[in-house]
Amino acid sequence: MNIGFAIAALLSLITFATHTFVGGIYAARPLLAAHNFDKASRWLNYMCWHMVTAVLVAFTAGFAWAALRPEAVEVAALLTALALPLSGISVWVTLKGGIPPWRFPLPGCSP
């Protein structure tokens, strides 16, 4: 077993769970309820939310596969190459939005 890829799979799973179960409550639901956005903006953002969810599942599955099967190293390399810019974008957006990346943007908490 490749321990590095196993750790990446576990971190991907934790990120998926946090995104889905914490973010769903504190980000996705309020987004749909925010009627100060036009309908298309709300629903396109909601679609992007679900696309990120699917990508996180793919990260978890791909890294787990690579952890168990040495011939899947190319999958892990592709996911790693994708994770780098996505992580950078995530940090940039949180900093640009004034949200410290080490905490969740909980309701009632100003950035």
Side-chain angles (χ1 to χ4, degrees):
M1 175 183 285
N2 184 310
I3 298 300
F5 292 149
I7 291 170
L10 178 63
L11 291 173
S12 296
L13 180 63
I14 291 168
T15 303
F16 162 77
T18 303
H19 168 82
T20 301
F21 300 111
V22 176
I25 293 168
Y26 294 110
R29 286 183 191 169
L31 174 66
L32 285 179
H35 292 287
N36 54 330
F37 294 121
D38 64 67
K39 185 177 180 179
S41 179
R42 276 197 327 263
W43 285 100
L44 287 173
N45 278 287
Y46 193 60
M47 177 188 70
C48 289
W49 178 268
H50 287 294
M51 292 171 85
V52 169
T53 304
V55 167
L56 291 171
V57 169
F59 270 73
T60 302
F63 281 127
W65 183 26
L68 299 173
R69 308 292 293 227
E71 65 271 14
V73 69
E74 289 89 359
V75 170
L78 175 65
L79 293 175
T80 301
L82 182 58
L84 292 173
L86 292 178
S87 296
I89 290 166
S90 296
V91 170
W92 179 76
V93 167
T94 59
L95 293 175
K96 185 83 170 163
I99 303 166
W102 55 85
R103 74 156 181 84
F104 296 112
L106 300 175
C109 298
S110 61

